[in-house]
Amino acid sequence: MAVTDAAIDKIKQMILSGELAPGDRLPKEADLAERLGLSRNSLREAVRALALINVLDVRQGDGTYVTSLEPRLLLDTMSFVLDLHRDDTVIQFFEVRRILEPAATAMAAVQMSDADIVELGEVLRSLPKEPTIEELVDNDLTFHQRIARGSGNNVLCSFIESLAGPTHRARIWRGLTQEGALEKTMEQHTAIYDAIAARQPDVARSWATVHVAGVEAWLRKALD
């Protein structure tokens, strides 16, 4: 593993130095192994590891390329790790959401285009009058994803979308057991949308905090 780690680090340094840029094809295996002073086996293991975390893209019969290295792509692997959380740690994920989502919502109130705000309103209105729990949760996820993307910060957006998985089950659980969940969700979503449409970042931040904190408070009580 130590040799493989060294191989990973050498490829990483090539990317950090700019020697390999996003979209570049790596030199042939034999040439790269010789150049880096590695065995071909160690190089292969390093390439496999970096492909697993979306740094490299191995194309059969074509070669190995550096990916786009976009935050969304690199943080995608975090979703897999977060999906392995235990139920007793879901509160901690909500605590992180309570920090990140209000910030993204405030930014969206400034950064979102008029067209994107119109589309956000359409998402809000697309929910049926008597939705199933699955429709409610899916609409909630889409609504928050549009806002996160509207923040204009790809890293922040990727973090928020990664957190959607661990909190997804809690949202369903809440919808199944808490009376008034639909009304409360729609009321808070509408308030968030209205604040974004009015370009009021502080108000949007406040309503987003109320929205996430409400689910968190309910979940704390349910887990006691």
Side-chain angles (χ1 to χ4, degrees):
M1 284 302 300
V3 176
T4 302
D5 287 345
I8 291 171
D9 190 59
K10 288 183 178 182
I11 296 173
K12 174 184 169 184
Q13 290 305 319
M14 291 179 71
I15 295 172
L16 290 175
S17 68
E19 190 174 350
L20 285 175
D24 281 356
R25 179 177 176 175
L26 268 64
K28 291 182 179 179
E29 183 183 90
D31 296 338
L32 186 58
E34 182 179 358
R35 178 173 166 187
L36 297 178
L38 301 167
S39 70
R40 294 178 69 170
N41 187 56
S42 295
L43 179 60
R44 284 193 203 107
E45 290 298 323
V47 167
R48 280 196 202 99
L50 290 170
L52 284 173
I53 60 172
N54 296 331
V55 172
L56 297 180
D57 178 20
V58 180
R59 303 175 190 174
Q60 202 64 34
D62 185 18
T64 300
Y65 293 78
V66 180
T67 67
S68 66
L69 302 179
E70 300 234 339
R72 187 187 304 274
L73 182 64
L74 297 180
L75 289 172
D76 185 54
T77 53
M78 189 172 75
S79 297
F80 175 79
V81 176
L82 294 180
D83 280 341
L84 299 177
H85 80 289
R86 303 186 311 274
D87 286 342
D88 60 355
T89 63
V90 71
I91 286 290
Q92 296 176 27
F93 289 110
F94 268 101
E95 289 173 341
V96 176
R97 276 192 63 207
R98 181 160 42 83
I99 295 168
L100 298 183
E101 286 201 26
T105 305
M107 293 168 69
V110 176
Q111 299 292 337
M112 284 184 84
S113 68
D114 291 343
D116 286 340
I117 291 176
V118 169
E119 288 183 5
L120 184 64
E122 290 172 356
V123 170
L124 200 60
R125 291 185 291 273
S126 69
L127 189 68
K129 288 185 178 180
E130 296 183 8
T132 64
I133 295 301
E134 288 74 18
E135 287 173 333
L136 176 60
V137 172
D138 287 344
N139 186 271
D140 184 56
L141 285 169
T142 301
F143 182 76
H144 288 290
Q145 284 172 349
R146 292 292 182 89
I147 292 173
R149 292 171 189 172
S151 72
N153 186 308
N154 291 333
V155 176
L156 179 59
C157 177
S158 297
F159 273 119
I160 289 172
E161 290 189 350
S162 295
L163 289 168
T167 58
H168 191 274
R169 247 186 303 171
R171 288 199 189 108
I172 294 177
W173 186 16
R174 180 188 189 218
L176 287 170
T177 61
Q178 186 182 42
E179 291 184 10
L182 171 60
E183 292 77 10
K184 190 171 291 185
T185 296
M186 288 306 297
E187 175 188 319
Q188 293 170 355
H189 279 191
T190 299
I192 290 169
Y193 167 76
D194 287 345
I196 290 174
R199 304 294 186 181
Q200 296 176 313
D202 290 339
V203 178
R205 184 198 306 273
S206 297
W207 273 112
T209 302
V210 167
H211 182 53
V212 179
V215 184
E216 181 188 336
W218 167 83
L219 189 58
R220 285 182 186 278
K221 188 180 294 184
L223 293 175
D224 281 344

